[in-house]
Amino acid sequence: MAVRAVRGAVQLERDEAGHMEERVGALLTDLLERNGLTTEDLISIWFTATPDLHSDFPAVAARKLGIVDVPLICAQELEVEGAMPRVVRVLAHIESDRPRADIAHVYLGAAAALRKDIAQ
């Protein structure tokens, strides 16, 4: 079993805790489903949020999905002029037999514009 990394992002419409939980939850659910993963396959998850998001930690959505025994960490994304606002990014380390080229990176909604090269 190899260790792989899976990327993803979602843009929020507004900075509200419930909305963040819903959108980040959808991102994580999609990431797991598209890669045929369960929570047992997760090693760790890094979340970053743009500086304009402060209503909650993105990791709260993971915990509410039942991802309770996986190390999670949240950090603030760099504040770059002209960058897309209200974005939560994820970098998940997983155990998978899939070749690196078959890993599905998930960019939902407007966030797909961030990585047109790997967005599914």
Side-chain angles (χ1 to χ4, degrees):
M1 188 83 56
V3 174
R4 301 282 183 228
V6 184
R7 286 289 320 272
V10 64
Q11 184 183 38
L12 306 184
E13 295 172 20
R14 58 194 174 279
D15 183 23
E16 294 175 1
H19 180 61
M20 180 181 290
E21 179 185 326
E22 174 188 319
R23 299 304 296 141
V24 173
L27 173 63
L28 292 171
T29 299
D30 237 15
L31 189 143
L32 291 171
E33 287 176 359
R34 291 188 196 184
N35 288 289
L37 301 169
T38 69
T39 57
E40 292 298 313
D41 301 314
L42 296 170
I43 297 170
S44 64
I45 304 175
W46 281 79
F47 295 95
T48 64
T50 52
D52 52 2
L53 294 174
H54 11 67
S55 62
D56 208 350
F57 295 99
V60 169
R63 297 293 185 220
K64 290 191 175 181
L65 283 177
I67 302 172
V68 295
D69 61 349
V70 175
L72 309 175
I73 194 163
C74 298
Q76 186 173 334
E77 190 71 33
L78 293 173
E79 188 168 1
V80 176
E81 190 172 325
M84 185 180 288
R86 300 177 316 281
V87 175
V88 174
R89 291 172 174 86
V90 62
L91 171 64
H93 297 96
I94 62 168
E95 291 181 318
S96 176
D97 287 328
R98 287 181 182 226
R100 187 177 295 157
D102 291 347
I103 297 295
H105 304 283
V106 179
Y107 289 78
L108 299 181
L114 295 171
R115 290 298 306 265
K116 291 179 182 177
D117 59 326
I118 63 172
Q120 307 293 310

